Amino acid sequence: MKLKNVLLVVSDLERSKRFYKTLFGLEPIRDLEENVILMEGLVLQERKSWEDALGKKAILPNYGAELYFEEQNLDSFLERLRSSEFPMEILTQEEENAGGCRAVRIYDPDGHVIEIGGYCSHPISLSLVD
C-alpha cells in the first residue's frame, strides 16, 4: 500500500491555491473545480463539496494535524512570509532545538497548522528500515 495524497478542506479554494503557490511553490497539477491536486501530493477541496460528499459539517480550524515543510533557506522564507498578501497568524515563533534545527509554525488561511523547518545541522533519519 502507498499513501498518495493528503487532503485539506478549505473554505476558499482560490485563496488556498494562491497561498500554497505563493509561499510554498506548490503549483496545481490537476484542477477539478471543487478540488485541486498540488505538487507534492497536497489536495485542496472546497468545504461545501466535502460536506456534500460526507453529509457532515467540516470543522475549521482543525488542530488535529500538521503539514511539515523543510526549507533550505529559512530566513528567506520568513521574509517572504512577512511580506505576503496573506494575514498571518504565527502559532510558534522561530525556535531552535538542541540538535540545531530551526522551525516556525503558522496557520494557513483555514487554520490548518503548518510547520516550516530549516535543514538541521545534524540531520535525523526517520527510516524504519535498517
Side-chain angles (χ1 to χ4, degrees):
M1 185 177 301
K2 182 177 179 181
L3 176 63
K4 298 295 285 184
N5 299 99
V6 173
L7 184 142
L8 297 178
V9 175
V10 298
S11 58
D12 182 333
L13 190 58
E14 291 305 315
R15 177 186 64 186
S16 293
K17 285 180 356 185
R18 278 194 330 276
F19 176 84
Y20 283 100
K21 180 179 180 180
T22 301
L23 292 176
F24 299 95
L26 299 180
E27 298 279 348
I29 57 174
R30 191 161 186 201
D31 197 329
L32 304 169
E33 294 183 24
E34 293 180 338
N35 69 39
V36 62
I37 301 171
L38 304 176
M39 296 166 52
E40 306 295 333
L42 182 60
V43 178
L44 305 173
Q45 184 164 10
E46 190 73 46
R47 182 180 196 161
K48 181 173 179 351
S49 174
W50 173 264
E51 291 174 345
D52 289 348
L54 266 63
K56 298 191 182 290
K57 290 294 231 178
I59 300 170
L60 297 175
N62 180 339
Y63 306 119
E66 176 179 285
L67 295 178
Y68 176 75
F69 291 86
E70 281 190 346
E71 171 59 50
Q72 192 166 4
N73 187 337
L74 189 57
D75 293 323
S76 174
F77 176 81
L78 292 172
E79 184 55 40
R80 191 166 65 242
L81 192 63
R82 285 189 279 275
S83 64
S84 80
E85 67 181 273
F86 304 98
M88 195 56 53
E89 186 175 351
I90 296 177
L91 178 59
T92 60
Q93 295 292 329
E94 182 186 350
E95 53 191 29
E96 184 171 327
N97 67 19
C101 301
R102 295 169 53 215
V104 63
R105 284 186 183 89
I106 63 172
Y107 294 114
D108 81 353
D110 288 290
H112 300 105
V113 179
I114 303 171
E115 180 177 350
I116 304 94
Y119 288 106
C120 302
S121 58
H122 304 291
I124 300 170
S125 173
L126 296 179
S127 174
L128 299 177
V129 179
D130 289 331

